[in-house]
Amino acid sequence: MKFLENMGIKINNEELLKTALTHSSYSNEHNCENYERLEYLGDAILEAVTSEYLYLNTDYKEGEMTKIRANYVCEKALACYSRDIGIDKCIRLGHGQIHNLNDTIIAEVFEAVAAVIYLDQGYDVVKKYLDDIIIPYIKEKRDFNTDYKTMLQEAVQTTRRSLEYVLLNEYGEAHDKTFEMAVKIDDIVYGKGIGKSKKEAEQNAALDALKKSAVK
């Protein structure tokens, strides 16, 4: 896969890598394995690598390290890493999911790929892979848990304008819903967002609105 070749990694077990890139919607249609078991392992590896870095490179107490780690292994962060290196373009989805590639899936695949690198190449290789991706974000102190709704509310309050969130659409199976929300300021749509919950979609809509200079 190009995204791994770009980072100097060659996976020997290509079938396992394909599994890591396979969502359950695809595996159900093609009778093959999906990434869910690999995701479980990758989650633990990601936590271990991030914990090791924070322990060796900071003098923070346990609670502070736990808080910082959570910021860099959250869904939004993992989806960002995936898009940075191009994992999102390689994910295999079933026909019913093809137009519904969301942060949850992209983040889960990131974990699954980490598990494949560990199983195929060992801990040192996956550690370098994750360090190369994540440490730059830690050094720049990127905040993946910003409350964009609060930021937008504060921006709107300074001009005394009204703000509301409106559900535009929801789709997917009952156990795997996706929501599309819009944020309106004085009855004008300023931003739209998609998420696996209404709250996540609202946050993404608020971020979309904040990017537009007219709100600031």
Side-chain angles (χ1 to χ4, degrees):
M1 291 290 177
K2 192 72 173 175
F3 69 87
L4 289 177
E5 291 175 11
N6 290 340
M7 301 189 74
I9 298 173
K10 176 70 170 72
I11 297 297
N12 296 312
N13 190 339
E14 293 185 1
E15 285 303 311
L16 192 62
L17 181 55
K18 284 182 182 178
T19 298
L21 297 166
T22 302
H23 185 253
S24 58
S25 61
Y26 184 97
S27 65
N28 290 337
E29 291 178 8
H30 296 84
N31 193 29
C32 60
E33 296 294 321
N34 61 56
Y35 63 65
E36 291 174 2
R37 278 172 50 82
L38 287 166
E39 177 207 344
Y40 164 80
L41 177 59
D43 177 64
I45 294 165
L46 187 68
E47 193 164 296
V49 170
T50 310
S51 298
E52 180 181 349
Y53 174 80
L54 292 172
Y55 179 82
L56 294 175
N57 293 277
T58 74
D59 57 1
Y60 298 132
K61 293 183 178 180
E62 178 188 358
E64 186 64 18
M65 286 192 293
T66 299
K67 181 180 177 181
I68 293 172
R69 182 184 64 197
N71 181 59
Y72 295 103
V73 300
C74 70
E75 180 180 293
K76 190 179 295 184
L78 303 189
C80 176
Y81 307 151
S82 277
R83 291 190 176 96
D84 276 355
I85 63 176
I87 290 179
D88 59 310
K89 297 179 177 64
C90 303
I91 298 172
R92 302 198 295 180
L93 299 169
H95 292 299
Q97 195 78 27
I98 200 74
H99 299 298
N100 188 25
L101 179 59
N102 52 61
D103 279 1
T104 299
I105 295 172
I106 297 171
E108 289 171 349
V109 171
F110 183 83
E111 293 174 325
V113 169
V116 171
I117 298 171
Y118 168 74
L119 292 169
D120 194 86
Q121 299 289 311
Y123 181 77
D124 288 345
V125 175
V126 74
K127 179 180 181 301
K128 183 180 185 305
Y129 163 79
L130 292 173
D131 282 350
D132 287 347
I133 295 169
I134 300 171
I135 289 174
Y137 283 100
I138 296 176
K139 287 183 175 179
E140 75 172 45
K141 297 183 178 179
R142 173 74 72 89
D143 183 2
F144 287 102
N145 289 314
T146 301
D147 185 352
Y148 296 113
K149 286 182 65 178
T150 297
M151 290 174 63
L152 182 62
Q153 183 70 48
E154 291 172 351
V156 169
Q157 281 177 346
T158 60
T159 55
R160 297 184 179 179
R161 290 183 285 178
S162 65
L163 181 153
E164 66 172 329
Y165 292 89
V166 180
L167 178 65
L168 297 178
N169 197 5
E170 61 179 272
Y171 40 88
E173 301 294 330
H175 66 283
D176 192 25
K177 285 277 189 184
T178 295
F179 301 90
E180 182 179 7
M181 303 291 295
V183 57
K184 290 185 175 182
I185 299 171
D186 288 344
D187 291 324
I188 299 171
V189 174
Y190 271 79
K192 295 180 181 179
I194 293 174
K196 296 304 294 180
S197 67
K198 289 181 181 178
K199 287 184 178 180
E200 181 187 1
E202 288 173 354
Q203 285 285 346
N204 290 330
L207 174 58
D208 187 38
L210 284 165
K211 289 177 179 177
K212 296 172 179 171
S213 58
V215 177
K216 296 175 184 177

